[in-house]
Amino acid sequence: MNGRRLEIHDRIMERVFIDPMTGCWIWQGPTSGTKGRGKNYPRMSLGGQTVAVHLVMWTNEHGYIPGKKQLDHKCRNRLCVNPDPMHTELVTHKERQKRRDRARAGMIGQNGGPLLECEEMSR
Ligand SMILES: [Zn+2]
């Protein structure tokens, strides 16, 4: 990592709690609020702009996100900023919706375990 990326990484990690059970990097800073569709996503200020922390962490680690792809929380924890593909993974919009529907139906969970185990751990 170069200096700038390392600096951003460190700034984020200062406000992260690493969950030893799930491996989630749980953001402890501000979020996008508790209402609406985009609620409970981690937010931070970077270069005078408010940005989504999990996106910053991902691009910092892997590079740009192609226009047609979205970042999905495979671990189903919106506050998780772990750039590992076990936690956040690039998918198409369609795939992301499919996963969300499946998660809602209770068919997938962390490591094949109970649904939203990861999310509940963060509370
Ligand atoms: Zn996670």
Side-chain angles (χ1 to χ4, degrees):
M1 270 192 227
N2 65 31
R4 172 81 178 142
R5 281 168 65 198
L6 199 61
E7 189 193 311
I8 292 172
H9 181 90
D10 286 351
R11 249 184 81 189
I12 292 173
M13 291 314 284
E14 271 173 22
R15 305 178 86 170
V16 161
F17 166 73
I18 299 178
D19 191 315
M21 296 296 290
T22 61
C24 281
W25 296 5
I26 297 164
W27 178 245
Q28 312 278 290
T31 71
S32 50
T34 56
K35 291 192 178 114
R37 283 182 65 139
K39 69 181 180 182
N40 294 331
Y41 280 107
R43 289 280 183 272
M44 72 185 289
S45 175
L46 195 67
Q49 281 192 307
T50 302
V51 292
V53 188
H54 60 299
L55 295 182
V56 173
M57 202 54 160
W58 200 94
T59 51
N60 210 31
E61 196 71 26
H62 304 288
Y64 282 101
I65 296 174
K68 291 199 166 160
K69 296 285 184 92
Q70 298 181 333
L71 210 50
D72 182 54
H73 276 99
K74 205 170 187 177
C75 61
R76 312 315 310 166
N77 187 339
R78 284 186 171 186
L79 288 178
C80 180
V81 298
N82 190 343
D84 187 286
M86 286 302 292
H87 291 267
T88 48
E89 189 183 35
L90 269 195
V91 294
T92 60
H93 180 64
K94 226 174 171 176
E95 175 64 24
R96 190 163 178 236
Q97 282 181 320
K98 224 176 10 181
R99 287 186 183 184
R100 197 180 50 203
D101 292 346
R102 248 183 300 167
R104 279 203 186 127
M107 289 169 70
I108 57 167
Q110 178 79 2
N111 299 327
L115 175 69
L116 300 181
E117 184 182 301
C118 193
E119 202 163 27
E120 278 152 16
M121 293 298 294
S122 70
R123 294 209 177 103

